[in-house]
Structures are given as structure tokens and as C-alpha cells.
Amino acid sequence: MAKLKLGVLISGSGTNLQVLIDACATAGYPAEIALVISNKATAGGIARAEAAGIPVAVISHKDFDGREAFDDAMHEKLTEAGVEFICLAGFMRILSDRFIERWHDRMINIHPSLLPAYRGLDTHARAIADGVRFAGCTLHYVRPDLDNGPIIAQAVVPVLPDDTPDTLAARIQVQEHRLYPAIVRLIAEGKVTVEDGRVVYGGGVDLGENLTDITSPRT
Ligand code: GAR
């Protein structure tokens, strides 16, 4: 079967990109990365893509007059490269509604909180300040409302008494790195659909004991 062609959008170190690169390099993985786009020329993830021989486009939002023009340039590059599905992996720009609608149900994001709690930035500092006992990450489809699309999967970690935003972020990232390639595999296999704004799994999916899925609780 043809592999699902991914476009991965990054702004930073690209550790989530790296786990997707590694997954795509394993035998039988049903997706491949056709293009990486970074909006920052200094993003560490660029070297990761280059080392793997993956085409990279650096498209700086600063070179464009407005959000839609920047998004149009990305859309053009993505379609030129034959991208069918977008993975946001630490991409720190808000996308225009037009771009999001073009990629409806074909674009997912990893967010470092248990949505719908802590949308937006500084999730770890806010969680620590609130004294919450659990934090985590969420993979979700992207919708025009920021960090508010159908939830695909979540993973939970404890918040420990002496956590700093950095130590909590590191604990959450371990889970991000497990979740992202596992869920992209399921999507590429056609086992994830959105019905009435909620994610439904098909095809005998077993998310495993540590991948907490709040959209389809098992009885
Ligand atoms: C990840 O932890 C991701 O959850 C977060 O940025 C980090 C990127 O790390 N994303 C957001 O905050 C999106 N609002 P990486 O560049 O090492 O993959």
C-alpha cells in the first residue's frame, strides 16, 4: 500500500520530528515524510531533517505581509511536495482559518497539556502554579479555535513537588515521543476518523495501557 505522505511543520528543536523520522525509517511503517517546513532558520529540527535526507523549506513568517500570505506559501510548498497530511510538531505560529480549512481532518498537533486544560503558551508553568497533580500531552486535529480540535489521544504524567517547567516538560516529552508515531501509524492505516466532532477508532485498535484515550473509553 502507498505510504501516507507527511508534511511536518516545526519551529524548534524538532525532537518530535526526530521520532517521526525514526518511525518512518522502520520497516512497514505506513507513512513517509515528504517535506519539513520551518518558519525559523535557526530551528534545530532542520539539521535532523537534512541528516535524514528529507527536503526542508525554511519559510519565514517575517517575509510575508500577513498570516494568510505566509500560510499560502506553505500550502503551495506542501502541495508541490505531494503532502497529504500535516503534523504540527512544535510549530509556534497561529495558522489562518483558510489554511486550517484546506487541511481539515488532514492536520494534527501535539500540545503539551491535557486539553481542554491549558490551551496556549506556558502550559507547564501554569500547571505548576495551579498545583495540579497531573499533566500531559494531547494529540488533536487542528480547528480554527486554538488548541481546540477533536482529541485523538492523550498521555498523562504526574506533576512532582519539586518540578520546574523544564523538568515537567521533559517528562511530558517522553510521552509525546511515544504518542506521536503510534498515532500517525493508526491514521495512516485509516483507523482514525472524526464523527460529530469526536475521534472514533476502528479496526481493532488497542491503544495500550499507557496511552490514555479519553474519546473512546473502554467499558
Ligand atoms: C513540544 O513539547 C510540543 O508539545 C510543543 O512544543 C514542543 C516542541 O518540541 N508544542 C507547543 O507548545 C504547541 N503550542 P520539539 O521541537 O522538540 O518537538
Side-chain angles (χ1 to χ4, degrees), residues 50-137:
E50 285 173 351
I54 296 166
V56 186
V58 176
I59 305 178
S60 172
H61 53 280
K62 293 180 184 158
D63 292 342
F64 295 87
D65 204 9
R67 210 180 283 290
E68 291 207 333
F70 167 60
D71 289 356
D72 284 350
M74 288 199 296
H75 183 75
E76 198 178 313
K77 280 277 181 207
L78 290 160
T79 45
E80 265 173 27
V83 167
E84 300 164 303
F85 195 92
I86 295 176
C87 298
L88 302 181
F91 184 70
M92 302 307 278
R93 300 295 302 171
I94 291 174
L95 295 161
S96 60
D97 289 2
R98 182 164 73 193
F99 185 89
I100 292 170
E101 290 306 334
R102 279 172 166 164
W103 293 91
H104 188 83
D105 285 354
R106 297 191 299 140
M107 176 161 60
I108 60 175
N109 179 48
I110 186 90
H111 183 76
S113 79
L114 295 171
L115 291 173
Y118 303 112
R119 296 184 173 117
L121 299 174
D122 299 324
T123 53
H124 310 111
R126 287 156 58 207
I128 290 168
D130 285 345
V132 298
R133 299 303 184 206
F134 294 96
C137 57

Side-chain angles (χ1 to χ4, degrees), residues 12-16 89-90 92 110-112 173 176:
S13 67
T15 61
N16 281 285
M92 302 307 278
I110 186 90
H111 183 76
Q173 277 213 330
E176 293 184 2

